[in-house]
Amino acid sequence: MAGLRTRKLNIVDRALGKGRQEVVSQSAFAHLFSEFVQYSQARSITASELERRLEDAGVGIGVRILELASLRDGKTRRETRMLGILQYVHTTIWKALFGKSADALEKVVENEDEFMISEQEPLVNQYISVPAHLPNLNCAAFAAGIIRGALESAGFPAAVQAHTVAADAGGSRTVFLIKFAPEVLARERSLASA
Amino acid sequence: MATGSYTFVIVAQGDTPVYGAEFLAAAKKDGQDTSHLNQLIIHAALDMVDDAVWTSNNMYLKTVDKFNELLISAYVTPGHARMMVLHDVRNEDGIRSFLHDVHELYVKVLLNPFHSAGAPIRSDTFDARVRALAKKYLT
């Protein structure tokens, strides 16, 4: 143990991993995530309660990854506009977490406060099988929580939901539906007119 | 090198102060204790920061407010933690470098999974690092 103690490093002295990508093995992540889903499932009665638990767990990650990703990039700017922050989540944050940008970022045509980020095969769901009696369950609620955490701490409070959507060519994809709070829209309008 | 007094505060999202420190010039140390006044001025300047934060996308907002001969500079991280410096001398580049380096320390503390974003930072090591940075840039 004495050998370990000399190597103990305070968190403020550790490197932030600028410039290089530190990767955790996917099997380690899948194992941890499946344990977490089972833990939450045992403590939830309904599917929506389970999703809420997963989402809440993601929020703290979103808050941290937002800060970390921009520091790693050496950025000196923040995102102040709605489209800018969405683009940032879709590209930079997704890359930092999952090694690639999300498959698509779209605007919901009917509602000006809603946007969709869609992903063919979310990494978090790779080894998750949805039981037949819970067809609406999507464990990517965890990733939805990450999006919500990042948006909220950037000053864009929003509700984020993960939905499973059947694709035209068979199979399905996960859509993260982002609905911004009214004050974000109001600020966006005042910034656009300024 | 200019010598001045600096009061530094980090205010997290939701207006909770999470860290504060004072770096006083040697000559000021035996004078009147104005730290309570400084706190007030800094917190009054938060409103100016909230206005400036959406009109500029720079993290470093430079001088946001003045009170008599005192100046308040601010820096806002992407996660909207506001770092405020109250100072009585002009030292733009020094403050910019100081805040940039403190930002990095702050993110490291934030990355601790047992630390939540609005909680006070009680780490002695963090405090020591911030003071070392102040010595480097704010003297």
Side-chain angles (χ1 to χ4, degrees), chain A residues 10-14 16 18 63-64 66-68 70-71 75-80 152-156 187 191, chain B residues 13 53-54 56-59 61 76-80 103-113 115 125 129:
Chain A
N10 192 289
I11 195 159
V12 299
D13 295 323
R14 295 173 75 148
L16 279 171
K18 278 184 196 166
V63 172
R64 290 172 172 82
L66 174 77
E67 290 275 10
L68 184 61
S70 50
L71 203 59
K75 280 180 35 141
T76 57
R77 289 170 188 280
R78 290 171 289 111
E79 298 295 343
T80 53
E152 262 172 16
S153 74
F156 296 84
R187 186 180 65 217
L191 284 179
Chain B
Q13 206 176 25
V53 81
W54 295 109
S56 155
N57 62 357
N58 280 316
M59 291 196 207
L61 297 172
V76 183
T77 73
H80 280 240
H103 177 200
E104 197 170 317
L105 286 177
Y106 171 76
V107 171
K108 287 179 184 177
V109 172
L110 188 68
L111 286 179
N112 179 355
H115 178 86
T125 323
R129 291 292 180 284

Side-chain angles (χ1 to χ4, degrees), chain A residues 1 12 16 18 49 59 63 81 104 122-123 156 163 167 177:
Chain A
M1 289 309 278
V12 299
L16 279 171
K18 278 184 196 166
E49 195 183 342
V59 171
V63 172
R81 301 300 295 267
L123 187 113
F156 296 84
H163 294 292
L177 184 67

Side-chain angles (χ1 to χ4, degrees), chain A residues 153-182:
Chain A
S153 74
F156 296 84
V160 186
Q161 283 178 311
H163 294 292
T164 312
V165 173
D168 302 333
S172 64
R173 64 197 170 106
T174 296
V175 171
F176 299 99
L177 184 67
I178 301 164
K179 187 176 174 63
F180 284 105

Side-chain angles (χ1 to χ4, degrees), chain B residues 77-120:
Chain B
T77 73
H80 280 240
R82 284 152 291 173
M83 305 191 181
M84 320 271 292
V85 177
L86 179 84
H87 48 108
D88 52 9
V89 285
R90 289 197 178 271
N91 178 12
E92 200 172 285
D93 289 339
I95 291 173
R96 182 202 298 270
S97 314
F98 170 74
L99 290 171
H100 181 266
D101 287 12
V102 173
H103 177 200
E104 197 170 317
L105 286 177
Y106 171 76
V107 171
K108 287 179 184 177
V109 172
L110 188 68
L111 286 179
N112 179 355
F114 297 107
H115 178 86
S116 59

